[in-house]
Amino acid sequence: MCRHWRTLFVVSLALVSAGCARKTGAASALKPTSFGAELVESSGGKQIGATGMVLAQPLVVQVNDDQGNAVTGALVEFSGPAGVSFDPPGGLTDSSGQLSANVALGSMAGRYQLIAHTSTKAQKSVELKIEEIALGYQEQLGFQLDNKYCARCHNPESTPERVSNYDNLEVKPHPFTEGDTLNKMSDADLTAIIGHGGPALNKSALMPPYSFTLSKAEIEALIAYIRLISDPPYHASGMVYAQK
Ligand code: HEC
């Protein structure tokens, strides 16, 4: 993932999302004691993790009946692209109608579409799609650089280690997940504003220049990271985004 990272990146996207969804089957021995009408995500979607690693938060889904009440004892099964594993791969919902699983993403960087599945009493299949992001080596470098240099202005949230400066800024920068803004900027624009600061694109000088601090490869890593975490997803021009 160095010189032609864009191409490789898109190829991995295609592989990750087109890789055949497998059913682990381990949960099929379980017999549901009741059935629901809908599946909703309680928490654990849209996480940003690392390739091959277990996501920080478990994925929690809930089965409801047609009145929106939680259903206990409904069977939920998880599936995802090749390389993704769920612990457990499925099970019966608990007294709050929920099932929780730890998710490990595959070895490819990219966006992963996971599926939770349950059936209604009439055996109609109900599916819920959940998206997670796996950062590869280059994007992880970008993530670390973001934490070190950019997040104090670009992320409005403070953490114990880092106090956000966002509220003090007269001109508000965008969080890097904000695809509506960042997807409209070309790689050349991003390289220019990161290297030479806001004035390079006739923007505020509150955005500092980093060409003295960061190498070209580091700026590329930041851009790879920004492109991957973008919501809505970034569509590289001329490339088909392989998602169902
Ligand atoms: C001191 C605060 C500060 C830091 C640190 C900072 N930025 Fe910014 N950045 C800004 C501000 C303010 C803007 C908005 C400028 C405007 O719209 O006129 C901005 C704009 C941008 C933009 C254009 C999109 C947007 O958000 O409006 C990009 C891309 C960007 N910054 C990348 C980075 C990267 C990458 C880093 C870390 C290497 C970084 N910035 C660090 C303040 C900062």
Side-chain angles (χ1 to χ4, degrees):
M1 280 234 196
C2 35
R3 201 156 65 87
H4 290 124
W5 63 267
R6 166 60 61 63
T7 323
L8 287 174
F9 167 52
V10 171
V11 168
S12 24
L13 273 182
L15 289 173
V16 168
S17 17
C20 53
R22 353 167 252 155
K23 278 246 152 63
T24 37
S28 31
L30 288 167
K31 274 230 171 314
T33 56
S34 57
F35 298 87
E38 60 160 6
L39 251 178
V40 292
E41 181 185 318
S42 301
S43 62
K46 293 207 167 169
Q47 292 187 72
I48 297 172
T51 48
M53 302 291 287
V54 176
L55 291 170
Q57 310 293 323
L59 172 60
V60 185
V61 299
Q62 180 170 332
V63 177
N64 292 331
D65 62 18
D66 50 12
Q67 314 286 317
N69 300 314
V71 173
T72 305
L75 178 63
V76 175
E77 289 173 294
F78 296 109
S79 58
V84 177
S85 63
F86 299 90
D87 180 23
L92 301 183
T93 51
D94 63 14
S95 56
S96 39
Q98 296 184 335
L99 183 72
S100 166
N102 288 312
V103 182
L105 298 178
S107 56
M108 298 269 191
R111 307 175 88 90
Y112 282 74
Q113 193 177 77
L114 313 181
I115 293 174
H117 174 270
T118 193
S119 300
T120 65
K121 199 162 192 175
Q123 300 209 318
K124 198 175 141 258
S125 177
V126 180
E127 274 191 4
L128 170 69
K129 292 185 175 130
I130 301 124
E131 226 183 72
E132 313 284 8
I133 293 175
L135 304 182
Y137 177 79
Q138 188 189 27
E139 296 88 5
Q140 283 177 57
L141 174 63
F143 170 73
Q144 286 156 8
L145 293 167
D146 172 22
N147 270 329
K148 188 162 174 197
Y149 297 106
C150 324
R152 68 191 166 93
C153 290
H154 279 266
N155 191 335
E157 319 256 318
S158 295
T159 66
E161 299 82 39
R162 161 177 60 69
V163 177
S164 178
N165 184 33
Y166 182 88
D167 290 337
N168 303 327
L169 293 169
E170 245 164 72
V171 183
K172 300 296 180 203
H174 296 83
F176 294 144
T177 45
E178 246 175 56
D180 286 335
T181 300
L182 285 143
N183 290 349
K184 292 196 191 108
M185 300 181 72
S186 65
D187 286 3
D189 284 349
L190 293 180
T191 308
I193 195 168
I194 299 170
H196 306 296
L201 297 184
N202 287 323
K203 288 177 182 268
S204 166
L206 289 171
M207 168 60 202
Y210 285 94
S211 60
F212 305 106
T213 319
L214 301 175
S215 67
K216 194 167 163 278
E218 286 174 323
I219 294 179
E220 280 172 3
L222 273 162
I223 296 174
Y225 165 72
I226 290 170
R227 294 311 195 195
L228 183 49
I229 64 168
S230 168
D231 182 21
Y234 176 70
H235 300 239
S237 60
M239 297 285 185
V240 180
Y241 187 73
Q243 268 221 327
K244 285 186 277 181

